[in-house]
Amino acid sequence: MVNHKNIIEVKNLVKKYGSFVANDNLTFEVKESEIFGFLGANGAGKTTTLKILSGLSYPTFGDVNIAGFDVYREREKVKRNIGYMSQKFSLYEDLTVKENIRFYGGIYGLSGRYIKEKTEDLLKRLKMEDIKDKLINSLPLGWKQKIAFSVAIFHNPKIVFLDEPTGGVDPITRRDFWEMIYEASNTGITVFVTTHYMDEAEYCDRVCIMDQGRIEAINTPSLLKKQYNAKNMDEVFIKIAR
Amino acid sequence: MKRFLGFVKKEFNHIFRDYRTMLILFGMPIAQILIFGYVVSNEIKDIRIAIYDKSKDNVTQEITNKLLASDFFILDRNIINDSQIEEAFKSGNIREVIIFEPHFAEKLEREGKAGIQILADASDANTANIVSNYTSAIVKTYMRNELMKGSFPYEIETKIQILYNKEMKGVYMFVPGTMALILMLVSAMMTSISIAREKEMGTMEVLLVSPLRPLHIVLGKVIPYIGLAFVNALVIIALSYFVFGMPIHGSLTFLLIETLLFILMALSLGILISTASNNQMVAMFISMFALMLPTMLLSGFIFPIENMPKVLQWLSAIMPAKYFIIIVKNIMIKGSGIAVVWKETLYLIGLTILFLAISVKKFKVRLE
């Protein structure tokens, strides 16, 4: 991990909505192929930060650098290098599995042949060859989630942003899902994930804990537990939030 | 470009897979035009009347003949005393009683005027209104003709002349109105709902994160509806031409260009609505109450603008549908060209630009 260079650099990031400060002077880095967990209660400012990093919203103040590009001036280049999965899974319910993959591959400008080959490969790995022509709305939540993640990294982005990707899914499916995240990380994709499940924080290489728009702690899960003298991340979080 | 085509294709998939959307898109225009054409009608035909002729001279007889010679009235009965009037109305099927005063022809000759009393059953106010208007129009026409022949030595000041739609066919009114309504519905409502759906499902975020530009996203969503709305317009024009015999005196090309302009206006309105609504429900309600109802009620489609209170007339003056209806009527019925409807056309162009400008601005604000 030490030798890797920074792929996300955030310096003095401030985001205000009127007089409300959603992100108060954040500074942090994420390293290449790291799994970076962004934790916090609802309303702590996680989603705001994620939106700024993925180019959905502009910062009020501060420098944000993604994959070597500035989010203000090189927005288009940033967009080509990132993938995004929202908490709603963001698939088209009335399109089939294959059509969804085709569509999302298409908007990233991938060639038809490449999409076709990679889709077959992907469906095989997910063991979903039988359901490729089924509509998304007929599938269980866990499957949708896996497809949504695969779609988010289909165009081989350098970074993938996951906004509370495991909401509403059972523990076993969640474990499966984290397997996929590890796989992606092993191929060199940086994973930036927000969550409020503290057990998931244990799976991250490093976590950042936010409270009321500020960063309260940032480190590896094991060092955080040591620092706060806690058994698990849940305790760490409670100690910080109180 | 390929990316963009993929987007448009996806949009067509959404439309063709949703039977409700299909129903609205293709079933409704046909149903509406047929309903408006056949059922809802301001025309009167075979209205049953009673005549109470207290004079029974040659003039009253001639007027009666004129009335009955039109297709509008059927003589249900003759009345011979006052008490039968109420009885006639109560029997239910008589809409109007016409009473000639005694010594009608004599009075006309001596004093230069004579009275006809028209009693109309206003339990259906609209029909009563039309029926009495028709009656007095027929009487006046008769008087005018007699005057020209020189039978009566007096002057008549009223002159009613119906131009362009001599048979007073309702379809001439309903075709342009239905067209405006349907195009508004398909273009504005359907696009605003479909964009709002992307927001609701969270797919809009993913699109915005992708290299697709916001302009392309909006265009990709809108283009299928331009095509479909245009097809709808063609269906309506064809139906009204072949089924209802509505003429197209002006240039068809010009009519289609104006139609396209109205579609673009409605689409930009739809985009504007979608920027203000985060889910399909809101988009639908705004479209329904802010667009459909005013379009139906205030555009002059169903109720004449001249009869509205002043405030509603002002409101009506900003309704884009009103201007489109004027344009369509001018082209189809009077055969006018751009020289006549340039003001209305300019207004529609201006609105389109205005709506797009606000949408773009709002879209940017959202990104902040």
Side-chain angles (χ1 to χ4, degrees):
Chain A
M1 214 48 36
V2 255
N3 294 328
H4 285 301
K5 60 177 199 266
N6 294 335
I7 195 153
I8 299 177
E9 285 177 345
V10 177
K11 220 165 152 189
N12 305 115
L13 167 67
V14 175
K15 176 71 182 183
K16 287 183 185 167
Y17 293 104
S19 61
F20 174 72
V21 185
N23 281 173
D24 191 358
N25 209 18
L26 309 186
T27 299
F28 63 91
E29 300 90 35
V30 178
K31 293 182 189 310
E32 213 164 33
S33 80
E34 190 173 34
I35 300 176
F36 190 82
F38 215 62
L39 315 184
N42 291 332
K46 289 174 300 186
T47 302
T48 305
T49 312
L50 190 92
K51 282 200 161 144
I52 292 170
L53 297 186
S54 56
L56 280 174
S57 141
Y58 282 114
T60 312
F61 180 77
D63 296 326
V64 180
N65 202 290
I66 307 284
F69 302 110
D70 186 90
V71 287
Y72 290 102
R73 284 176 283 110
E74 295 163 304
R75 210 181 168 84
E76 291 311 308
K77 286 179 184 159
V78 169
K79 283 180 164 187
R80 291 187 180 279
N81 286 292
I82 61 173
Y84 176 82
M85 173 180 166
S86 84
Q87 38 190 321
K88 293 174 187 161
F89 301 169
S90 331
L91 296 167
Y92 290 99
E93 299 272 329
D94 54 348
L95 299 186
T96 65
V97 176
K98 220 166 107 186
E99 283 167 339
N100 265 288
I101 299 175
R102 234 227 87 83
F103 172 70
Y104 281 119
I107 62 174
Y108 280 91
L110 304 176
S111 78
R113 224 180 66 200
Y114 178 83
I115 294 176
K116 211 171 166 190
E117 281 167 17
K118 203 167 169 195
T119 303
E120 273 167 31
D121 189 51
L122 175 69
L123 290 172
K124 208 174 284 172
R125 267 194 293 123
L126 292 175
K127 300 190 178 64
M128 290 188 186
E129 288 144 304
D130 301 340
I131 55 148
K132 64 178 188 224
D133 291 321
K134 283 230 162 103
L135 296 184
I136 291 290
N137 61 20
S138 64
L139 302 181
L141 205 60
W143 293 19
K144 290 184 196 173
Q145 180 194 41
K146 281 182 189 168
I147 298 166
F149 181 69
S150 309
V151 161
I153 58 170
F154 194 81
H155 58 289
N156 295 319
K158 290 201 174 114
I159 309 163
V160 63
F161 293 97
L162 310 175
D163 189 7
E164 301 187 3
T166 50
V169 186
D170 64 83
I172 294 171
T173 316
R174 252 163 68 190
R175 280 282 287 278
D176 284 357
F177 186 69
W178 275 90
E179 287 299 325
M180 291 181 75
I181 293 182
Y182 278 122
E183 257 174 60
S185 166
N186 285 338
T187 63
I189 296 177
T190 308
V191 180
F192 187 103
V193 51
T194 71
T195 180
H196 49 239
Y197 291 114
M198 287 308 143
D199 57 328
E200 289 188 343
E202 312 266 1
Y203 304 144
C204 300
D205 293 326
R206 280 198 308 147
V207 295
C208 166
I209 299 181
M210 283 196 71
D211 189 38
Q212 290 173 12
R214 280 188 297 275
I215 294 179
E216 295 295 338
I218 184 164
N219 219 324
T220 62
S222 55
L223 283 174
L224 280 177
K225 278 184 276 188
K226 204 174 281 171
Q227 187 187 339
Y228 286 90
N229 192 21
K231 280 201 302 293
N232 52 34
M233 284 307 290
D234 218 22
E235 276 183 29
V236 172
F237 183 71
I238 288 167
K239 281 182 176 166
I240 287 174
R242 292 264 160 89
Chain B
M1 195 59 206
K2 225 184 73 198
R3 274 191 275 171
F4 186 64
L5 286 181
F7 197 103
V8 174
K9 187 173 164 241
K10 175 215 102 183
E11 206 51 42
F12 272 116
N13 271 335
H14 288 319
I15 296 168
F16 291 137
R17 276 188 199 163
D18 185 9
Y19 71 95
R20 279 170 303 186
T21 310
M22 290 296 283
L23 210 63
I24 293 181
L25 281 178
F26 295 104
M28 209 168 62
I30 297 173
Q32 288 235 8
I33 198 90
L34 292 180
I35 289 172
F36 280 131
Y38 280 124
V39 183
V40 188
S41 166
N42 279 343
E43 297 164 41
I44 59 166
K45 216 188 160 203
D46 299 343
I47 295 288
R48 306 192 85 84
I49 57 169
I51 289 179
Y52 182 12
D53 193 345
K54 296 181 185 170
S55 175
K56 292 215 165 70
D57 53 49
N58 58 332
V59 178
T60 60
Q61 195 51 51
E62 264 183 73
I63 292 177
T64 307
N65 287 345
K66 284 277 178 221
L67 284 170
L68 298 179
S70 73
D71 276 346
F72 308 130
F73 306 110
I74 290 179
L75 182 64
D76 188 89
R77 65 183 82 172
N78 278 302
I79 290 174
I80 45 168
N81 61 49
D82 285 355
S83 65
Q84 286 180 329
I85 295 175
E86 199 169 347
E87 198 182 302
F89 278 123
K90 279 195 173 151
S91 75
N93 49 3
I94 286 175
R95 296 303 192 123
E96 187 183 52
V97 174
I98 297 168
I99 306 168
F100 295 97
E101 69 172 324
H103 316 295
F104 191 87
E106 270 170 57
K107 267 188 135 177
L108 253 188
E109 219 154 324
R110 218 175 39 234
E111 297 164 29
K113 63 179 183 190
I116 297 175
Q117 189 181 14
I118 298 169
L119 298 175
D121 175 5
S123 54
D124 178 354
N126 223 359
T127 311
N129 214 351
I130 299 168
V131 166
S132 56
N133 281 338
Y134 274 49
T135 311
S136 60
I138 292 172
V139 172
K140 276 172 183 153
T141 312
Y142 167 77
M143 289 301 195
R144 194 182 64 236
N145 291 341
E146 289 305 301
L147 181 68
M148 285 201 292
K149 278 192 261 166
S151 321
F152 305 128
Y154 57 85
E155 262 180 75
I156 287 177
E157 63 292 345
T158 334
K159 186 177 163 199
I160 294 180
Q161 200 177 1
I162 300 156
L163 291 175
Y164 304 116
N165 184 6
K166 288 208 174 75
E167 305 106 284
M168 307 262 276
K169 272 197 180 169
V171 68
Y172 287 16
M173 187 61 233
F174 288 120
V175 166
T178 315
M179 212 151 116
L181 192 67
I182 298 280
L183 295 183
M184 204 71 159
L185 193 81
V186 170
S187 313
M189 187 163 125
M190 301 299 266
T191 40
S192 65
I193 289 179
S194 104
I195 294 178
R197 180 167 64 182
E198 299 256 1
K199 286 194 201 171
E200 193 177 326
M201 304 302 285
T203 45
M204 190 52 107
E205 282 178 14
V206 182
L207 295 180
L208 286 172
V209 168
S210 83
L212 279 178
R213 287 164 189 276
L215 181 70
H216 288 160
I217 297 174
V218 171
L219 276 182
K221 297 229 55 116
V222 156
I223 281 179
Y225 289 100
I226 297 184
L228 293 171
F230 199 69
V231 170
N232 269 328
L234 290 178
V235 169
I236 295 174
I237 294 173
L239 266 180
S240 57
Y241 183 79
F242 292 113
V243 180
F244 294 110
M246 172 115 179
I248 304 173
H249 289 312
S251 144
L252 182 63
T253 321
F254 184 50
L255 178 65
L256 293 181
I257 290 172
E258 290 282 0
T259 306
L260 200 61
L261 172 63
F262 185 69
I263 292 172
L264 290 178
M265 190 285 309
L267 285 173
S268 34
L269 190 54
I271 296 170
L272 183 60
I273 292 174
S274 71
T275 62
S277 39
N278 281 321
N279 60 55
Q280 301 177 66
M281 222 34 165
V282 176
M284 193 153 113
F285 272 118
I286 298 182
S287 308
M288 280 302 241
F289 292 111
L291 288 184
M292 307 317 306
L293 286 180
T295 299
M296 274 177 81
L297 302 179
L298 295 178
S299 65
F301 169 23
I302 294 179
F303 303 111
I305 296 168
E306 294 76 24
N307 295 354
M308 294 175 192
K310 268 280 172 287
V311 182
L312 289 184
Q313 286 197 21
W314 294 332
L315 262 179
S316 157
I318 58 170
M319 289 291 135
K322 172 187 167 185
Y323 297 94
F324 180 63
I325 291 176
I326 294 176
I327 293 172
V328 173
K329 275 180 162 178
N330 267 298
I331 299 173
M332 291 183 88
I333 304 171
K334 298 189 198 164
S336 321
I338 185 77
V340 176
V341 294
W342 65 272
K343 269 192 219 150
E344 287 80 8
T345 309
L346 216 59
Y347 179 73
L348 290 183
I349 293 174
L351 267 188
T352 311
I353 294 170
L354 179 73
F355 290 151
L356 283 179
I358 302 175
S359 311
V360 168
K361 205 166 149 64
K362 285 196 91 165
F363 211 76
K364 277 193 183 138
V365 171
R366 262 171 45 79
L367 275 181
E368 293 302 316

